[in-house]
């Protein structure tokens, strides 16, 4: 396996290929594919703070944050930068069979080595104010709500996070009719799913009593076996 020589303040993470793929894979679905969109929406935002790694992605409709303790860091090291999504997708494409990968995070760069490869991925300044969004929408407890409008394709983005912990449930909290849906997987993964607004919907697609079309099932008897 290639070795990483540390010459600057940095943080190290030793991780299996499968776990590394799960780590990045849990946030990548929340990036934008729009080539004309904001660059920040096509980046993986990296932050190391108090010995923890945080990866953040968003396309403004959903956002995901995953965190993991670093294996080791130099004293008082912290960093914040952004990596292109395409570089990270290329990195993790064939990682399932990698026994161990070593990641070295420097001030504006990520080095990754495996048994037979080495990657040097330069970063750029991260301009994503993701904490501001959390401060606006994250509440200690959910607000009771009669209904909330959600694009089901956004919920599908949460599925890859399951690889982070196969045994743990994904916990969903509603923040009110106009607030984000908050999904958490323990203390390692958090995602926000923004609701659709009724103003953007056609009236015929937004029934005032959405359950009325299903009450007839309560009057039915079981079909013969």
């Amino acid at each position: 396996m290639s070795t990483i020589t540390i010459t600057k303040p940095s943080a190290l993470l030793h991780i299996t290929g499968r776990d590394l793929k799960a780590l990045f894979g849990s946030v990548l679905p929340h990036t934008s594919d729009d080539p004309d969109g904001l660059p920040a929406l096509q980046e993986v935002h990296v932050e190391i703070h108090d010995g923890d790694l945080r990866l953040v992605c968003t396309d403004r409709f959903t956002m995901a944050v995953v965190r993991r303790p670093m294996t080791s860091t130099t004293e008082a090291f912290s960093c914040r930068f952004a990596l292109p999504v395409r570089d990270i997708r290329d990195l993790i494409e064939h990682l399932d069979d990698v026994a161990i990968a070593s990641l070295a995070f420097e001030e504006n760069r990520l080095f990754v080595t495996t048994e037979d490869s080495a990657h040097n991925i330069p970063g750029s300044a991260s301009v994503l104010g993701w904490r501001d969004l959390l401060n606006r929408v994250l509440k200690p407890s959910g607000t009771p709500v009669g209904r909330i409008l959600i694009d089901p394709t956004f919920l599908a983005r949460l599925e890859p996070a399951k690889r982070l912990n196969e045994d743990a449930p994904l916990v969903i909290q509603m923040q009110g009719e106009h607030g984000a849906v908050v999904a958490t997987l323990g203390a390692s993964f958090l995602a926000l799913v923004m609701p659709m607004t009724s103003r953007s919907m056609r009236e015929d697609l937004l029934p005032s009593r959405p359950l009325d079309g299903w009450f007839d099932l309560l009057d039915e008897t079981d079909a013969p076996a």
Side-chain angles (χ1 to χ4, degrees):
M1 179 174 177
S2 303
T3 59
I4 298 176
T5 301
I6 301 303
T7 59
K8 301 178 181 179
S10 62
L12 292 176
L13 176 63
H14 301 302
I15 190 171
T16 67
R18 183 188 183 281
D19 287 347
L20 177 57
K21 192 169 186 176
L23 195 68
F24 279 108
S26 65
V27 296
L28 286 176
H30 301 265
T31 58
S32 173
D33 294 325
D34 182 2
D36 299 321
L38 295 174
L41 307 183
Q42 301 171 53
E43 295 172 327
V44 179
H45 298 268
V46 177
E47 183 174 313
I48 294 177
H49 184 74
D50 289 340
D52 276 354
L53 169 67
R54 290 90 180 268
L55 304 176
V56 184
C57 290
T58 183
D59 68 347
R60 292 192 294 191
F61 298 105
T62 67
M63 185 180 85
V65 182
V66 65
R67 62 183 178 181
R68 185 183 178 106
M70 300 300 296
T71 305
S72 62
T73 63
T74 54
E75 186 175 0
F77 174 75
S78 63
C79 68
R80 180 186 178 202
F81 59 92
L83 297 170
V85 165
R86 62 181 181 278
D87 290 347
I88 299 303
R89 291 193 191 280
D90 290 343
L91 169 68
I92 69 174
E93 184 176 2
H94 304 294
L95 282 178
D96 278 336
D97 296 329
V98 173
I100 295 292
S102 292
L103 284 69
F105 295 86
E106 293 189 355
E107 182 179 353
N108 201 33
R109 189 174 297 271
L110 170 62
F111 298 92
V112 182
T113 62
T114 67
E115 294 94 331
D116 55 7
S117 67
H119 308 267
N120 180 348
I121 306 176
S124 59
S126 173
V127 298
L128 182 68
W130 59 274
R131 279 190 178 82
D132 293 339
L133 178 59
L134 287 187
N135 286 333
R136 291 199 303 270
V137 304
L138 199 59
K139 307 295 180 183
S141 59
T143 302
V145 58
R147 67 179 180 185
I148 188 168
L149 308 179
I150 292 292
D151 186 331
T153 59
F154 294 161
L155 295 180
R157 298 178 181 182
L158 303 176
E159 193 276 334
K162 187 64 178 174
R163 294 188 68 182
L164 295 168
N165 189 336
E166 298 287 352
D167 298 323
L170 192 70
V171 179
I172 301 291
Q173 283 196 169
M174 304 295 186
Q175 299 296 326
E177 185 174 359
H178 302 293
V181 173
V182 182
T184 56
L185 191 68
S188 62
F189 176 81
L190 178 145
L192 306 178
V193 180
M194 303 309 295
M196 304 169 69
T197 63
S198 58
R199 294 188 301 273
S200 65
M201 301 292 294
R202 286 170 28 201
E203 286 297 324
D204 60 315
L205 297 178
L206 190 63
S208 59
R209 299 172 60 88
L211 295 181
D212 283 3
W214 294 94
F215 289 144
D216 60 306
L217 296 181
L218 303 179
D219 298 324
E220 294 180 353
T221 58
D222 292 338

